[in-house]
Amino acid sequence: MSSFSTRWRAEMCRGSSRWRAGVLMGALLVSGARAECPADVEAAAVAAAIVNRTPVHAVPGLTRMEDGLCGRDKVVRFLAQAWGAPVGHKAGLTNPAVQQRFGYGAPLRGRLFRAGLLPDGAEVPAAFGIRPVFEADLLVEVADPHALARAGSPDAALQALSAVIPFVELPDLMVGDPGALSGPMLALVNVGARLGVQGTSVPARSGGLRAEALASMTVSVRDGTGAVLDSAQGSAILGHPLNAAIWLARDLAAAGTPLQRGDLLSLGSFSRLLAPKPGLDIVVRYDGLPGNPEVRVHFR
């Protein structure tokens, strides 16, 4: 297995007072925020807490989703100052069980950062975040953003992609008080995006991959002994995982920030949110895709 990323240590965990003070000062100089949207200084404080891995405190009065989304966009801009430009997007709350857990019955989106994407077999501290969890997920790489936004079916969506990539997402629920993590608050913390481990890409338009296989595949999460911790069919994500890719493409286009060629999309959770433990080896397997690919992560 590869050693834990030095780059991640530098880019994801740095919490210098210089960055924190600079981001807060920059926020104070920004004007024009709506009264209902979290203030720039509040968004900067959330971003600083995320980077420094300290609990995010609930923003008083944050009850409307539109305000959580407005705050998310500000938080992401501050995060990019520490982590670099985003490399794609994630869809959260695409599984009914996860929607029920957070009390919000529709998908949410956040941004992915290159610094948080680790190679297959990565070693990651079990305490990689404030409230760390892991889940079986799937990445896709966008080939034709406009075709994906127009796709009327998973078959059409597959033709707009260049690759499907096994993925263990390592989200961080980030708040100190679990009861404070409402839908708007989850949006504000960038849908918990922090880390993820990528497997080997499966070509989307060659090698025998078919859209129906993505819906009928069995995604299993196993520990180092082979014991199954959780499993689900591909249809656990919005009836078909590529429906999440279509939703992301349309939601971003509607917001005036359309996808770009090469963007990576995290489609959501096939499994329950599971807790990492030191010494735990995890293998996520996608039975039914060409070659039954796997992706591995070790928690230390």
Side-chain angles (χ1 to χ4, degrees), residues 93-108:
L93 304 190
T94 56
N95 182 310
V98 180
Q99 290 178 355
Q100 183 175 14
R101 173 170 178 171
F102 292 102
Y104 187 72
L108 291 174

Side-chain angles (χ1 to χ4, degrees), residues 94-251:
T94 56
N95 182 310
V98 180
Q99 290 178 355
Q100 183 175 14
R101 173 170 178 171
F102 292 102
Y104 187 72
L108 291 174
R109 61 175 165 86
R111 297 305 306 266
L112 297 178
F113 292 85
R114 175 70 69 186
L117 299 181
L118 306 176
D120 193 6
E123 290 189 357
V124 181
F128 62 80
I130 301 156
R131 292 183 59 213
V133 292
F134 68 92
E135 62 184 43
D137 198 330
L138 194 69
L139 287 177
V140 297
E141 183 176 359
V142 177
D144 187 335
H146 301 295
L148 184 58
R150 295 193 305 266
S153 68
D155 287 289
L158 186 61
Q159 295 304 307
L161 305 175
S162 57
V164 171
I165 307 167
F167 188 53
V168 180
E169 194 192 356
L170 309 177
D172 183 356
L173 301 184
M174 300 187 187
V175 299
D177 176 12
L181 201 55
S182 61
M185 193 65 193
L186 185 62
L188 182 68
V189 297
N190 195 31
V191 200
R194 188 176 290 280
L195 294 174
V197 178
Q198 303 177 85
T200 301
S201 297
V202 177
R205 290 174 287 180
S206 62
L209 180 61
R210 299 177 64 85
E212 55 262 34
L214 286 162
S216 62
M217 67 181 175
T218 298
V219 182
S220 60
V221 182
R222 301 171 186 265
D223 66 16
T225 70
V228 176
L229 304 181
D230 201 8
S231 67
Q233 283 192 297
S235 57
I237 291 180
L238 298 181
H240 193 294
L242 296 188
N243 286 335
I246 296 170
W247 176 81
L248 277 168
R250 292 177 178 174
D251 194 59

